[in-house]
Amino acid sequence: MSLIHNERTKLSATALNGTALASIAAGFITPLAAISFDVPGSAARGALTTTLFALAWLVTGGVLHLVARSLLGRLRE
């Protein structure tokens, strides 16, 4: 039974970590790259607002990653 539990735990941690990486890529890297390359309309809200939202997405992705790591601590021997 512990093998099934471990595999399900690893699958959940992997999915959560993937969500964390997608959050960081879509919410942090993409807007800042658009601003740095002067993409038209990228700073429509203003650079400060965009940067604050990007930082919020970075923190969200970091928290999701830490939760995924804590899930791996639940593996059974």
Side-chain angles (χ1 to χ4, degrees), residues 49-75:
T49 305
T50 303
T51 303
L52 290 176
F53 276 112
L55 288 175
W57 278 107
L58 178 65
V59 169
T60 301
V63 168
L64 288 172
H65 175 72
L66 292 175
V67 171
R69 286 179 55 109
S70 71
L71 275 177
L72 292 177
R74 297 181 183 175
L75 294 177

Side-chain angles (χ1 to χ4, degrees), residues 8-52:
R8 286 181 178 166
T9 301
K10 288 191 280 187
L11 182 62
S12 297
T14 301
L16 197 55
N17 194 52
T19 304
L21 290 174
S23 297
I24 291 170
F28 179 71
I29 296 170
T30 304
L32 294 183
I35 289 172
S36 67
F37 289 119
D38 286 330
V39 174
S42 62
R45 294 185 189 161
L48 179 63
T49 305
T50 303
T51 303
L52 290 176

Side-chain angles (χ1 to χ4, degrees), residues 1-10:
M1 189 67 157
S2 65
L3 288 177
I4 294 171
H5 174 266
N6 285 348
E7 290 303 316
R8 286 181 178 166
T9 301
K10 288 191 280 187

